[in-house]
Amino acid sequence: MDDRHALPLGLRLNQVARVVGQQFDRALTEVGGSLPVWLVLLSLAGRRPATQRELAGRIGITEATLSHHLGAMERQGLIARARNGENRRVHDVSVTDAGLARFHELREVAVAFDGRLNAGLPEADQARLAALLDHVVANISERPIPGPLFDTHSSEGRQT
């Protein structure tokens, strides 16, 4: 039996996630993007503005880390932050026209990368792998599995 198959599933998934994450970030970096920028733009594309807390929860990072990335994105003109009308301590974040344009550029990279990941896998196997990964997450987490943030066949992010 191949030693790779003897690894505990959690370790194997961790190794796969690390390699996929590094390669995806590299693909985004090659076009002047980054994973944090992609995640913020993906989360905001096609949606109403979100609070920084909502965005941090969607993306899975701390508010402090997100604030650092948002500052850079605001300086680049990709997002805008404004005080919330109901709670002045809260900032609402929205994507700008420049941010939407950048989203579409990075989306092309994401779709191409997804194509590389799925190369040689029949659609039925892709669907089965997705279902298995969802099942594994459900086994260890009470948090619901998020739906896809974008459809690789549409020109916009998913509307929610």
Side-chain angles (χ1 to χ4, degrees):
M1 181 173 176
D2 187 336
D3 284 342
R4 289 180 304 145
H5 297 291
L7 287 175
L9 181 59
L11 179 58
R12 182 101 185 249
L13 286 171
N14 182 273
Q15 291 173 339
V16 168
R18 196 169 336 125
V19 170
V20 170
Q22 289 169 346
Q23 293 303 313
F24 184 48
D25 195 46
R26 178 179 291 160
L28 293 169
T29 301
E30 287 175 1
V31 297
S34 69
L35 186 56
V37 168
W38 167 244
L39 291 174
V40 169
L41 293 176
L42 179 61
S43 185
L44 291 174
R47 297 177 180 219
R48 62 171 178 72
T51 67
Q52 287 186 201
R53 175 168 286 165
E54 289 169 336
L55 270 178
R58 285 182 201 164
I59 295 170
I61 61 176
T62 67
E63 287 184 65
T65 300
L66 176 64
S67 184
H68 167 75
H69 293 299
L70 292 179
M73 292 177 71
E74 191 172 33
R75 288 188 294 279
Q76 295 168 11
L78 302 176
I79 58 107
R81 289 189 279 192
R83 296 262 181 216
N84 182 288
E86 296 174 14
N87 184 345
R88 303 287 296 157
R89 294 175 291 164
V90 173
H91 284 96
D92 290 325
V93 182
S94 59
V95 65
T96 63
D97 289 342
L100 281 175
R102 189 70 178 136
F103 164 76
H104 288 290
E105 292 169 3
L106 295 177
R107 184 182 173 282
E108 288 182 27
V109 173
V111 169
F113 186 82
D114 195 62
R116 286 178 52 207
L117 280 176
N118 288 297
L121 290 175
E123 284 189 32
D125 287 348
Q126 293 174 36
R128 179 73 177 139
L129 178 57
L132 288 169
L133 291 172
D134 288 350
H135 185 95
V136 168
V137 170
N139 283 345
I140 61 167
S141 177
E142 293 179 16
R143 191 172 177 185
I145 306 212
L149 291 175
F150 75 98
D151 178 353
T152 58
H153 303 292
S154 74
S155 62
E156 294 293 326
R158 180 183 70 158
Q159 300 290 318
T160 60

